Amino acid sequence: MCGIVGYIGDKRAADFLLEGLTKLEYRGYDSAGIAVNCGENIFVEKSVGRLDSLKDKLKYRMPGGVIGIGHTRWATHGRPSDINAHPHTDCNKNFVVVHNGIIENYMPLKEELISRGHKFISETDTEVVPHLLEEVYRGDFVEAVREVLNKLEGSYSLVFMSKENPDTLICAKQDNPLVIGLGKGENFIASDIPAIINYTRQTYILNDGEIAIVKKDSVKIINRRGEPVDKKIFHVSWNAEAAEKGGYEHFMLKEINEQPKAVRDTMSKRISKDGTKILLDELNWDKDFLAGIDKIYIVACGTAYHAGLVGKFYIEKLARKLVEVDLASEYRYRNPIVDEKTLVIVISQSGETSDTLAALKESKRLGAKTLAITNVVGSSIAREAEQVIHTWAGPEIAVASTKAYTTQLILVFMLALYMAQINGTVSEQRARELIGLLKKIPAQISETLSDVEPIKTFARQYGFNEDVFYIGRSLDYCVALEGALKLKEISYIHAEAYASGELKHGTLALIVEGVPVIALATQKSVYEKTLSNIKEVKARDAVVIGIAAEGDTELEKYLDHVIFIPDTDELLIPLLTVVPLQLLAYYAAITRGCDVDKPRNLAKSVTVE
Ligand code: AGP
């Protein structure tokens, strides 16, 4: 997620802008920039890389103006570079904008503006905004901004600055956070409270559709129709550290709760307006390309590997292509059977995992076609692969991967359906049905997040056990593996995931009275078999906690506790099943007093072998 700051008052704006951006560094970014209205002109300076690079550029040339905006960029459209860094301006640097989010209709807007003579210099979606403002501005800054906003589709928090209006900053909020800090003779703008908490605790938290007209001694809030909005002041009681986590106790809990938005963002722009097609313009594959592929490998580590296991199901079920999934650390040394008819898909949140990068390079050496699914634009893996599609989860700070996993599932599902539509292995009607259910997933994740009490209770009751088993069949087994990893890596409980049908081949010997077993039973196609496995462990007096789809009235007859998740197609339900397992791991770690965000022995990005 990008970081935004703005200042208007009597002091040197650049001082607050740089300090505010420094407070937002924790969010992760790849470039930064500021713009200050100096009266005669608007000063703009940007730099790829860390904030220090920007500060170095400003060392002997800090602008003196008292109104400015700043930005730290997390790239989604356009690689990290000085040019792509924000702020962005119109042709004549009369208007400057910083943006957080995704403007979904930027391409047609950009093409239209270019046809009318506008000159673009960056690869970003954001740059269309100042040029649109230049196009519609007739002297009324607020009206012009409103007219621009009516042309935009997608998610955005935007701050506008105009050379001709040196006493005003205008903010607009849609889906991405934006806060106004209320000072004395000065006002502050930020995407996140940590940037302003040292200056004021009196804030307006903007809601979707609201526009703030910020002057140094007044803040007026209107809606998109221009009508005044009566806004309550929100007093920030958090300390600075808590503010970085948006009020959540840990980054992990914040990121678990960010999943509805992360999933929605990752889907955005990738579904046709009529809801019938998956659009992966980054790939542009056709029947001939797929006909040239006789085998697909999915290669990854950890959570990304678990997403790959789900991806296998999706691609084989929908696109009817053979898929092998492998751990990167194994694949890279096994002299895999790979040639020019092999497609190797690597999945990596960080895009820097050493084993996955090495597996990718080995695949290219052997002649394979390569595709990367990663969350970091411009990462080593993104640059090494022939093709790349990005999850748009925003920075994931906690070591335990949560929103990266669910957005990886979304992308592998969309990739499978995209391939199926090219190959004609899924009917139009089935594709429309699946896409309709896919679009409901963000709201269903929110629903699943809305009732954490039963999960907290289990975590308190069983958080001190030293062994926990997760069992499931089919896609439930894939998610069980992810649930077990979550519990292991942050609560240090020895958790093991097992294919339910495999229990009788050994592991059942460990299932004795009181052993907690998390039984996933959402896969309708194997439900009866799953139920009989659950009865097997129940018969040995294990404590069984079921995860079932709403409407399942059978499981409760046999289990002590059942956590229900919203029902959907069995292919999509892993996106919901994983949420209670993430929360169970989180609250178990809290129960045991573990360092949730930075568990022992682990790093967020394993850049060594
Ligand atoms: C997941 O919770 C772990 N932090 C770890 O397994 C992680 O998924 C793995 O190291 C792969 O990282 P990557 O996705 O950045 O490549």
Side-chain angles (χ1 to χ4, degrees):
M1 228 109 67
C2 308
I4 286 177
V5 291
Y7 175 82
I8 184 163
D10 295 319
K11 302 187 185 77
R12 191 166 72 166
D15 295 328
F16 167 74
L17 299 180
L18 292 175
E19 188 186 329
L21 291 179
T22 304
K23 294 279 184 232
L24 298 181
E25 278 197 291
Y26 70 90
R27 295 163 63 103
Y29 65 100
D30 49 57
S31 53
I34 67 169
V36 176
N37 192 328
C38 300
E40 283 308 301
N41 69 323
I42 289 189
F43 171 94
V44 179
E45 187 55 83
K46 315 194 269 191
S47 178
V48 70
R50 309 308 295 165
L51 260 183
D52 287 343
S53 309
L54 177 64
K55 289 174 183 172
D56 286 347
K57 289 187 173 183
L58 292 165
K59 199 173 276 178
Y60 306 110
R61 48 199 286 272
M62 280 282 270
V66 294
I67 172 173
I69 55 180
H71 187 270
T72 47
R73 180 172 183 247
W74 173 270
T76 53
H77 297 71
R79 59 192 161 59
S81 68
D82 288 4
I83 293 283
N84 287 336
H86 300 207
H88 288 288
T89 73
D90 67 307
C91 303
N92 306 308
K93 277 177 88 173
N94 289 322
F95 301 104
V96 193
V97 167
V98 289
H99 168 226
N100 182 10
I102 297 167
I103 295 172
E104 296 180 8
N105 62 331
Y106 83 98
M107 276 317 281
L109 289 172
K110 184 170 180 176
E111 284 157 9
E112 196 186 326
L113 287 161
I114 290 172
S115 69
R116 289 215 286 273
H118 289 264
K119 297 279 177 282
F120 284 79
I121 56 171
S122 84
E123 304 161 310
T124 67
D125 53 335
T126 306
E127 196 184 354
V128 298
V129 179
H131 288 280
L132 284 171
L133 196 51
E134 176 188 15
E135 185 80 6
V136 304
Y137 184 73
R138 300 279 177 279
D140 185 327
F141 190 17
V142 175
E143 283 316 301
V145 166
R146 287 184 54 231
E147 199 173 330
V148 166
L149 295 175
N150 288 336
K151 295 173 184 290
L152 304 182
E153 292 170 16
S155 65
Y156 51 76
S157 46
L158 286 158
V159 185
F160 300 81
M161 186 164 74
S162 151
K163 190 167 80 173
E164 280 185 24
N165 298 271
D167 64 344
T168 306
L169 289 173
I170 298 179
C171 309
K173 193 260 187 218
Q174 186 63 44
D175 291 335
N176 285 275
L178 210 48
V179 178
I180 314 294
L182 306 172
K184 292 187 175 52
E186 60 185 4
N187 286 309
F188 310 86
I189 296 161
S191 48
D192 236 335
I193 284 170
I196 58 174
I197 200 165
N198 292 339
Y199 296 85
T200 178
R201 287 178 176 271
Q202 302 293 84
T203 65
Y204 285 143
I205 310 284
L206 293 190
N207 296 319
D208 283 352
E210 291 180 346
I211 298 168
I213 301 148
V214 183
K215 298 177 183 293
K216 71 175 188 175
D217 45 22
S218 73
V219 178
K220 185 180 170 202
I221 313 285
I222 60 174
N223 61 25
R224 293 287 291 281
R225 290 182 300 282
E227 299 152 347
V229 171
D230 177 21
K231 202 75 186 166
K232 297 264 177 301
I233 288 178
F234 174 77
H235 176 80
V236 179
S237 55
W238 304 322
N239 62 37
E241 201 214 337
E244 284 188 4
K245 299 168 189 131
Y248 290 100
E249 192 179 347
H250 297 97
F251 279 112
M252 183 179 178
L253 190 57
K254 175 170 178 270
E255 288 154 11
I256 287 173
N257 282 279
E258 284 176 342
Q259 290 183 114
K261 180 177 179 322
V263 162
R264 192 179 309 117
D265 285 351
T266 299
M267 277 194 273
S268 78
K269 263 179 60 44
R270 291 170 164 154
I271 295 175
S272 60
K273 282 209 180 322
D274 64 2
T276 60
K277 274 196 164 328
I278 298 295
L279 307 172
L280 291 177
D281 299 341
E282 307 98 313
L283 301 184
N284 220 1
W285 289 352
D286 59 17
K287 263 187 184 294
D288 291 344
F289 175 84
L290 291 183
I293 303 287
D294 63 9
K295 179 177 189 175
I296 297 173
Y297 269 109
I298 300 178
V299 181
C301 301
T303 287
Y305 168 74
H306 296 152
L309 292 172
V310 175
K312 168 186 170 71
F313 265 87
Y314 289 163
I315 295 172
E316 290 188 347
K317 181 104 179 170
L318 297 174
R320 306 306 297 157
K321 280 278 186 188
L322 177 66
V323 180
E324 260 197 67
V325 189
D326 215 334
L327 291 167
S329 53
E330 291 296 311
Y331 170 91
R332 65 182 288 199
Y333 294 115
R334 206 190 48 240
N335 190 19
I337 299 171
V338 169
D339 59 26
E340 66 291 342
K341 289 177 72 66
T342 311
L343 169 64
V344 175
I345 302 170
V346 292
I347 304 176
S348 174
Q349 187 284 132
S350 63
E352 299 301 340
T353 299
S354 165
D355 282 322
T356 309
L357 179 58
L360 172 59
K361 288 178 177 173
E362 174 66 358
S363 304
K364 285 176 73 175
R365 187 185 68 79
L366 295 170
K369 295 173 178 68
T370 57
L371 166 65
I373 293 178
T374 181
N375 194 40
V376 183
V377 176
S379 59
S380 302
I381 285 172
R383 281 179 284 111
E384 184 66 32
E386 283 169 286
Q387 293 189 296
V388 57
I389 44 180
H390 288 103
T391 49
W392 288 326
E396 190 177 69
I397 312 287
V399 165
S401 197
T402 51
K403 62 178 182 174
Y405 174 75
T406 41
T407 53
Q408 286 162 1
L409 292 198
I410 287 287
L411 265 195
V412 291
F413 179 83
M414 295 176 96
L415 178 67
L417 190 49
Y418 173 74
M419 291 165 71
Q421 289 187 303
I422 292 171
N423 270 352
T425 47
V426 162
S427 69
E428 269 193 33
Q429 196 245 327
R430 175 67 173 144
R432 185 191 297 270
E433 178 198 1
L434 285 170
I435 291 172
L437 292 170
L438 184 65
K439 290 159 86 169
K440 291 180 181 157
I441 291 293
Q444 290 180 311
I445 294 176
S446 298
E447 188 185 333
T448 310
L449 289 167
S450 62
D451 180 13
V452 300
E453 286 317 311
I455 298 165
K456 273 185 185 173
T457 306
F458 300 146
R460 284 191 201 108
Q461 253 177 301
Y462 303 106
F464 291 104
N465 282 64
E466 287 314 315
D467 299 293
V468 176
F469 289 86
Y470 290 70
I471 62 172
R473 282 177 179 261
S474 178
L475 283 170
D476 277 336
Y477 172 49
C478 302
V479 180
L481 287 163
E482 174 57 14
L485 174 62
K486 288 281 103 38
L487 190 68
K488 271 185 283 200
E489 66 175 325
I490 64 171
S491 74
Y492 315 144
I493 293 172
H494 179 240
E496 195 164 349
Y498 240 81
S500 305
E502 190 59 14
L503 281 169
K504 53 189 169 303
H505 300 288
T507 303
L508 204 54
L510 297 177
I511 306 293
V512 295
E513 185 180 351
V515 169
V517 176
I518 316 290
L520 283 63
T522 71
Q523 296 296 296
K524 294 182 176 61
S525 52
V526 288
Y527 184 81
E528 288 311 318
K529 297 287 180 196
T530 301
L531 196 51
S532 62
N533 297 138
I534 290 171
K535 289 176 190 169
E536 268 175 4
V537 293
K538 196 67 199 129
R540 278 126 184 111
D541 296 325
V543 175
V544 187
I545 299 162
I547 309 279
E550 274 160 6
D552 177 334
T553 55
E554 199 58 20
L555 212 53
E556 283 182 303
K557 295 176 188 166
Y558 307 97
L559 294 190
D560 317 285
H561 319 279
V562 179
I563 295 173
F564 289 100
I565 55 176
D567 195 11
T568 185
D569 189 282
E570 67 174 12
L571 285 177
L572 290 168
I573 209 160
L575 282 146
L576 306 175
T577 318
V578 73
V579 175
L581 305 188
Q582 295 168 341
L583 291 167
L584 189 58
Y586 174 78
Y587 288 113
I590 298 288
T591 302
R592 295 165 71 97
C594 297
D595 182 349
V596 174
D597 285 335
K598 297 192 184 76
R600 68 188 181 203
N601 309 337
L602 301 180
K604 181 59 186 167
S605 179
V606 184
T607 54
V608 293
E609 274 203 44

